[in-house]
Amino acid sequence: MQKLSQTYIKSLVKKALNEDLKPRGDITTNLVKFNNKKTKAQIIAKQNGVIAGLEFCKIAFKLVGKEAIFVKKVADGTKVKKNKVIAEIKAKIKTILIAERTALNFLNHASGIATLTNEFVKKAGKTKICCTRKTTPNLRTLEKYSVKKGGGHNHRYNLSDEILIKENHISASNNLRELVKKAIKTNKVVTVEIENINQLKSIIDLKFKRVLLDNMSIQQLKKCLNLCKNKFQTEYSGNATLQNIKKISKTGIDRISVGAITHSSISFDSSLLFG
């Protein structure tokens, strides 16, 4: 995962604020009397879950008003109960009103991913839960960070990180074994997606890191795992859900990649209240 730097956070939050404020600013808050008066507000959890994205939330207020004081009441990765105070803000009324939605959008999106990831992690036992590249465009770093805060693990960050030979690569090359041999010569981490046991048998003698067993039944999965016999790190992908994750993990698979933790998480529920 790329580093979650202050430069990255500020750049992303600035774009989000501009999305809300251009071209004429917050025309509603401009109507509020005494909007330069300083006040206090709290961000409160409205559900149980795992918190992530607090620094994005903080920067949203700080970019709108330099006077803003943002106090985190929990750290990213913390499990919270409903009604827990997540953070407190002291700032001008207009600062809080202008930054509120952008701040909560980042917090709730990141915390939703962390929360769903943690639900998978709790059911998977010793098997690692990994995210995929099925992320929101331009939010990948934030989303992969949130997965880690939920107890999950990151797959490759992008196409430059590792070699992952998938179905369409195999179809395009028309020779799986030769493709894998070429991949091994690059000295990169190599993962090969396998759809059936015959594919696995055709490359079982080659030395690379990982096989990705795709969309297999539990019976097929067990046969492939027996054939691997510690030759490769093993990973499962394809329609893993909270309902079947425990059954998949019990096969002894090392990792399970779950696209849903980034592309289908439900936004965490929190609210900001004055007082």
Side-chain angles (χ1 to χ4, degrees):
M1 188 192 83
Q2 290 186 342
K3 186 179 179 182
L4 199 62
S5 66
Q6 284 292 307
T7 301
Y8 167 77
I9 295 170
K10 287 180 180 178
S11 173
L12 204 58
V13 175
K14 279 181 181 178
K15 289 178 182 177
L17 287 169
N18 284 338
E19 190 174 52
D20 241 0
L21 292 170
K22 286 188 175 181
R24 287 180 291 276
D26 184 349
I27 60 175
T28 308
T29 294
N30 289 340
L31 302 175
V32 176
K33 195 175 182 180
F34 306 125
N35 65 18
N36 276 307
K37 181 182 177 182
K38 285 190 177 180
T39 189
K40 292 180 181 179
Q42 293 181 324
I43 299 175
I44 301 167
K46 296 179 73 176
Q47 66 169 88
N48 299 342
V50 179
I51 299 302
L54 277 167
E55 194 63 21
F56 292 82
C57 190
K58 172 185 173 180
I59 293 299
F61 291 103
K62 297 289 283 185
L63 287 176
V64 171
K66 292 181 180 179
E67 85 289 350
I69 298 171
F70 186 94
V71 180
K72 301 173 186 177
K73 292 300 190 180
V74 298
D76 278 1
T78 302
K79 294 179 181 179
V80 299
K81 298 289 187 181
K82 184 178 179 180
N83 297 322
K84 172 70 177 176
V85 176
I86 300 169
E88 292 180 349
I89 307 103
K90 184 177 181 180
K92 293 177 182 178
I93 290 172
K94 67 180 181 181
T95 296
I96 295 173
L97 289 174
I98 291 169
E100 173 187 0
R101 179 42 49 200
T102 297
L104 291 185
N105 281 348
F106 278 112
L107 176 67
N108 292 342
H109 181 59
S111 298
I113 291 170
T115 298
L116 181 57
T117 299
N118 192 251
E119 290 178 21
F120 274 95
V121 168
K122 287 188 290 187
K123 293 195 173 194
K126 294 181 180 180
T127 304
K128 292 180 179 180
I129 297 297
C130 302
C131 57
T132 68
R133 284 171 42 248
K134 295 177 182 177
T135 53
T136 308
N138 297 318
L139 292 183
R140 180 170 294 169
T141 301
L142 168 62
E143 293 180 350
K144 283 183 172 285
Y145 167 84
S146 303
V147 166
K148 292 185 75 173
K149 289 303 173 182
H153 296 263
N154 289 166
H155 212 293
R156 60 180 181 162
Y157 179 78
N158 62 25
L159 295 172
S160 298
D161 278 351
E162 302 177 4
I163 292 176
L164 174 51
I165 298 172
K166 295 174 68 68
E167 175 187 4
N168 283 338
H169 298 113
I170 297 167
S171 178
S173 69
N174 203 31
N175 191 324
L176 172 59
R177 188 175 175 85
E178 288 305 310
L179 188 57
V180 175
K181 283 182 177 180
K182 284 183 181 179
I184 293 169
K185 289 178 181 179
T186 66
N187 293 318
K188 287 280 192 178
V189 171
V190 176
T191 301
V192 182
E193 184 179 88
I194 297 296
E195 293 186 309
N196 57 66
I197 199 164
N198 288 332
Q199 281 185 330
L200 180 58
K201 286 178 178 178
S202 73
I203 57 170
I204 197 73
D205 59 313
L206 301 178
K207 291 184 179 180
F208 56 94
K209 183 165 185 178
R210 186 184 303 128
V211 291
L212 181 65
L213 304 166
D214 186 52
N215 273 304
M216 292 186 176
S217 66
I218 294 297
Q219 186 178 9
Q220 289 174 315
L221 186 57
K222 286 179 178 179
K223 286 181 180 179
C224 286
L225 290 175
N226 286 334
L227 191 61
C228 286
K229 293 179 182 176
N230 299 318
K231 291 178 183 289
F232 313 107
Q233 187 180 83
T234 56
E235 182 170 342
Y236 175 85
S237 71
N239 300 314
T241 66
L242 288 171
Q243 288 69 44
N244 65 18
I245 198 77
K246 187 177 290 187
K247 185 181 289 187
I248 297 169
S249 67
K250 283 183 177 180
T251 62
I253 196 87
D254 296 317
R255 300 157 38 124
I256 303 172
S257 55
V258 186
I261 57 179
T262 51
H263 71 60
S264 295
S265 63
I266 297 173
S267 183
F268 186 81
D269 193 3
S270 72
S271 62
L272 182 148
L273 299 173
F274 284 115

